[in-house]
Amino acid sequence: MNDLKQARNQVLQQIQQACEAANRDVNEVHLLAVSKTHPSDLIEEMYATGQRMFGENYLQEALDKIENLKSLDIEWHFIGHVQRNKTKHLAEKFAWVHGVDRLIIAERLSSQREASQVPLNICLQVNIDAQDTKDGCQPNEVAELVRTISQLPLLKLRGLMVIPAPNNPQAFIDAKQLFETVKIEHQHPEDWDTLSMGMSGDMLDAIAAGSTMVRVGTALFGARDYSQK
Ligand SMILES: *Cc1c(COP(=O)(O)O)cnc(C)c1O
């Protein structure tokens, strides 16, 4: 068994154990493999282990990989910061965008998605633990954003995405509570099914709190080497 297969099995096993401990169905928690900084051939190897969902943070790097790997049946997720002038590529090339935090971004993604494509899945990124960052909307803005964004065509508003500071399990509990509270604002509540939270270091806490998608890089691929970029 190769290293990637072993690493993935280990992560899947941790997810399963976390689900058992939390009395949750393991099928409710999806594994998004975060492949940023890793080359296309490594993604192809991970794909061969059965992984289909991959997450990328940097647009140009992602577009190159999507082109290289277009013969594979990969579901591409953009999990990086969304810049207003980059929405066209996101709308055209990805299945999911996790970092939507303003109405204007959602409006652009909706108008730039091709009518022939299936709707673009999006999550609202929330700054759930009051970090000093410009990424993510404020918790008190979420209800209004759900109300307006869920009415846009060619988007499917799936849920929330959070990146709390390390060692803050309460942030995941707060995110789950917010997720449940704002559902009533959604135009199509049956679409509201995703809590994108948890990474290599904190996925157990995230699953205990209700995560439905963990975004895992290091535990699958090893440490990232940014000097190669
Ligand atoms: C890089 C990244 C991850 C993966 O982090 P690891 O600690 O390597 O698992 C998850 N989510 C986002 C938004 C990231 O940028």
Side-chain angles (χ1 to χ4, degrees):
M1 196 160 56
N2 70 33
D3 291 349
L4 289 180
K5 176 113 191 145
Q6 203 170 347
R8 181 164 178 270
N9 282 349
Q10 223 157 47
V11 169
L12 290 173
Q13 202 173 9
Q14 284 174 334
I15 291 172
Q16 177 156 9
Q17 285 165 354
C19 285
E20 278 167 16
N23 233 323
R24 298 187 55 200
D25 180 348
V26 70
N27 297 313
E28 284 175 12
V29 182
H30 301 280
L31 173 60
L32 178 63
V34 176
S35 45
K36 64 182 174 210
T37 78
H38 300 297
S40 298
D41 49 355
L42 207 63
I43 297 177
E44 198 165 1
E45 275 180 53
M46 187 58 89
Y47 180 91
T49 73
Q51 182 66 31
R52 292 294 175 269
M53 299 162 60
F54 289 87
E56 289 282 338
N57 288 56
Y58 310 108
L59 183 59
Q60 191 52 56
E61 177 190 338
L63 293 175
D64 292 344
K65 293 176 187 176
I66 291 171
E67 177 61 23
N68 289 342
L69 299 171
K70 63 184 176 207
S71 64
L72 305 184
D73 180 28
I74 291 179
E75 182 180 270
W76 291 102
H77 292 234
F78 189 78
I79 61 173
H81 177 66
V82 181
Q83 288 172 281
R84 181 188 170 129
N85 60 345
K86 302 281 173 61
T87 50
K88 189 167 167 52
H89 293 293
L90 297 177
E92 288 174 354
K93 301 290 184 183
F94 287 82
W96 286 70
V97 175
H98 290 232
V100 177
D101 59 5
R102 289 175 288 156
L103 178 59
I104 181 71
I105 298 286
E107 286 174 340
R108 291 175 65 93
L109 290 170
S110 175
S111 66
Q112 291 167 337
R113 187 76 165 174
E114 297 282 345
S116 60
Q117 293 181 284
V118 295
L120 177 66
N121 298 292
I122 63 166
C123 291
L124 280 176
Q125 184 175 352
V126 188
N127 182 2
I128 195 69
D129 55 347
Q131 287 182 78
D132 186 13
T133 165
K134 59 182 174 14
D135 293 357
C137 65
Q138 295 306 310
N140 65 12
E141 297 173 312
V142 172
E144 176 66 18
L145 286 171
V146 170
R147 183 156 50 238
T148 48
I149 292 175
S150 66
Q151 297 177 39
L152 295 173
L154 298 176
L155 295 184
K156 199 166 173 178
L157 178 57
R158 301 292 294 264
L160 302 178
M161 185 271 227
V162 296
I163 316 174
N167 305 314
N168 183 7
Q170 183 62 40
F172 296 128
I173 296 167
D174 294 345
K176 168 71 171 175
Q177 164 110 52
L178 183 62
F179 175 82
E180 297 296 343
T181 308
V182 298
K183 180 174 182 170
I184 191 170
E185 308 290 345
H186 203 300
Q187 193 86 345
H188 311 282
E190 69 279 8
D191 292 348
W192 189 251
D193 62 1
T194 301
L195 250 181
S196 167
M197 60 186 194
M199 317 199 293
S200 296
D202 55 17
M203 62 175 181
L204 304 185
D205 287 332
I207 291 169
S211 171
T212 69
M213 197 181 294
V214 288
R215 309 177 308 264
V216 179
T218 309
L220 288 172
F221 293 105
R224 287 178 288 275
D225 181 357
Y226 284 95
S227 67
Q228 297 293 308
K229 272 179 61 70

